[in-house]
Amino acid sequence: MKKQLLSLTLAALMLTACSGSDSSTAAAGADLSAVEVKNAYNGAEELMGKDYGKFSMPSAFEVPTLTNVYTIDYNTVPPKYDREKLKKLYVDFFGDKFDERGLADDGTWGLYYTAPHEVDENGAPIGGNPDTAIYFDGYLNLAREQDLPLYTEGDFTHYFVDNSFDQSVTVDEMDTTIAQQAAFLDNKMNTLFEGFFTPFELKTNAIDIYTNGTIDANVAFALDGITLQSWKGDFENIIEDKGTEVYDTFQAGAMMNVQNDVRFIYTANIPTLVEKHPVDRIISLKRAVGILQSDLPDNASYNFTDVRLMYCCKVLFPRTSSVVTDSNLDDQRMAEYNSSVRTLEPMWCFFVEKPDEYIGEMIVKVNAITGELDLDIATENQ
């Protein structure tokens, strides 16, 4: 499939841009097919489970009441947290087992922590694998391994929280629900990281439940309930000597067991809000489905497993591979990229059914402001 664009003119589709954080994109000349934000999901129930030939809709998905939608100017300059703030985070996470002797800061890797402090004659940590924590260059990692190593094993079942909220599951011989696990983790993460990511909060997007009782969660940054893209999409376009065109991904995650023992948390590519511009009217979900009907190629065949409004931004990432041949040039390019201001826009995101072992997500997207259709899907999978 090739990227499709609406035949409607941009002048009819584009909402007037805002000049400041208190201004609004609703203005004269706005797209007449757009609806007030609060009505964007109207008629969603009629779409559930329907087969449109080129695609089929999920049998159920969350229908939230939207209150605030924005375009979001942001950068990814790694936030700077002082030593005491990070130390408190480590203490809160490890609790009574925190050992201050394990704290270190060599001026290069940021503040890191490893415990237990003692090792045996072979250099192995006494009491099992060490608890560890580090914050460096925007990457935050907290792992409690002292009593039980972290691992996932066996088959797993994938649940989107929004469309499996009331799903009852049995994990490690304990009955629970997706809602209970997501609510616990949301509270745990937002309490633990209070003041770290303001104004963004953390919201559990999806949960994988493994047969060995491990729960692995995809967690997203969110603003007023709408999440930023937290899954690596399938689309990737390498432009030689320039970088890789991808959708930006703001990652967070956690691993726990069914007794709500959180053992591992990480965040990466933390967004910093530069400015937000309120949007009063957007293309409705029903209109987005109509765009898919008209603009997807005739040979398309997608089975959607979830649909949601999500903030997305296609970017030109300055690396073309994981191999860095010129570290100074790479540092310069990454610094310029991180400090550059990009803009997240609200998009209707339709998640494509994929094999369980597939890494990442395949997402069909309709820009909720312009109506543009784009595929966050590799060419070979389209």
Side-chain angles (χ1 to χ4, degrees), residues 243-312:
T244 305
E245 193 178 27
V246 293
Y247 272 95
D248 215 348
T249 306
F250 310 91
Q251 300 173 338
M255 192 180 296
M256 60 184 180
N257 59 28
V258 76
Q259 285 78 25
N260 291 336
D261 181 14
V262 179
R263 311 199 61 80
F264 173 66
I265 294 175
Y266 78 93
T267 66
N269 199 36
I270 299 168
T272 295
L273 177 70
V274 176
E275 194 168 17
K276 61 181 181 180
H277 310 277
V279 176
D280 288 343
R281 300 177 67 86
I282 62 174
I283 291 169
S284 69
L285 176 57
K286 287 186 70 173
R287 176 69 180 127
V289 168
I291 290 171
L292 296 185
Q293 286 180 276
S294 62
D295 283 27
L296 280 173
D298 291 338
N299 63 346
S301 180
Y302 294 124
N303 180 33
F304 296 140
T305 58
D306 192 32
V307 58
R308 67 181 65 195
L309 193 68
M310 192 164 68
Y311 289 118
C312 308

Side-chain angles (χ1 to χ4, degrees), residues 34-56:
V35 299
E36 291 184 48
V37 163
K38 66 180 181 180
N39 298 323
Y41 274 94
N42 282 4
E45 291 83 357
E46 304 168 17
L47 307 173
M48 295 180 181
K50 291 192 68 173
D51 190 335
Y52 290 90
K54 298 178 184 180
F55 59 93
S56 60

Side-chain angles (χ1 to χ4, degrees), residues 141-308:
N141 184 306
L142 306 165
R144 290 179 50 225
E145 295 195 79
Q146 191 171 139
D147 301 322
L148 183 68
L150 292 166
Y151 69 101
T152 54
E153 185 176 89
D155 296 329
F156 69 91
T157 304
H158 182 76
Y159 298 93
F160 284 109
V161 173
D162 288 347
N163 65 9
S164 303
F165 203 72
D166 296 326
Q167 177 77 42
S168 297
V169 292
T170 301
V171 187
D172 199 20
E173 300 183 350
M174 179 176 287
D175 294 331
T176 184
T177 67
I178 299 302
Q180 289 173 333
Q181 298 305 312
F184 167 80
L185 189 55
D186 287 353
N187 181 66
K188 177 75 173 181
M189 296 277 278
N190 285 297
T191 300
L192 190 65
F193 291 111
E194 184 176 3
F196 273 77
F197 311 127
T198 305
F200 299 107
E201 60 182 359
L202 296 171
K203 181 180 179 182
T204 305
N205 254 343
I207 289 175
D208 293 336
I209 299 180
Y210 285 78
T211 52
N212 73 339
T214 300
I215 298 173
D216 195 7
N218 175 288
V219 181
F221 293 91
L223 185 61
D224 292 346
I226 302 175
T227 59
L228 284 59
Q229 181 164 342
S230 63
W231 290 279
K232 182 185 182 302
D234 199 34
F235 172 79
E236 185 175 279
N237 178 34
I238 296 177
I239 303 175
E240 290 300 328
D241 299 324
K242 290 187 177 180
T244 305
E245 193 178 27
V246 293
Y247 272 95
D248 215 348
T249 306
F250 310 91
Q251 300 173 338
M255 192 180 296
M256 60 184 180
N257 59 28
V258 76
Q259 285 78 25
N260 291 336
D261 181 14
V262 179
R263 311 199 61 80
F264 173 66
I265 294 175
Y266 78 93
T267 66
N269 199 36
I270 299 168
T272 295
L273 177 70
V274 176
E275 194 168 17
K276 61 181 181 180
H277 310 277
V279 176
D280 288 343
R281 300 177 67 86
I282 62 174
I283 291 169
S284 69
L285 176 57
K286 287 186 70 173
R287 176 69 180 127
V289 168
I291 290 171
L292 296 185
Q293 286 180 276
S294 62
D295 283 27
L296 280 173
D298 291 338
N299 63 346
S301 180
Y302 294 124
N303 180 33
F304 296 140
T305 58
D306 192 32
V307 58
R308 67 181 65 195

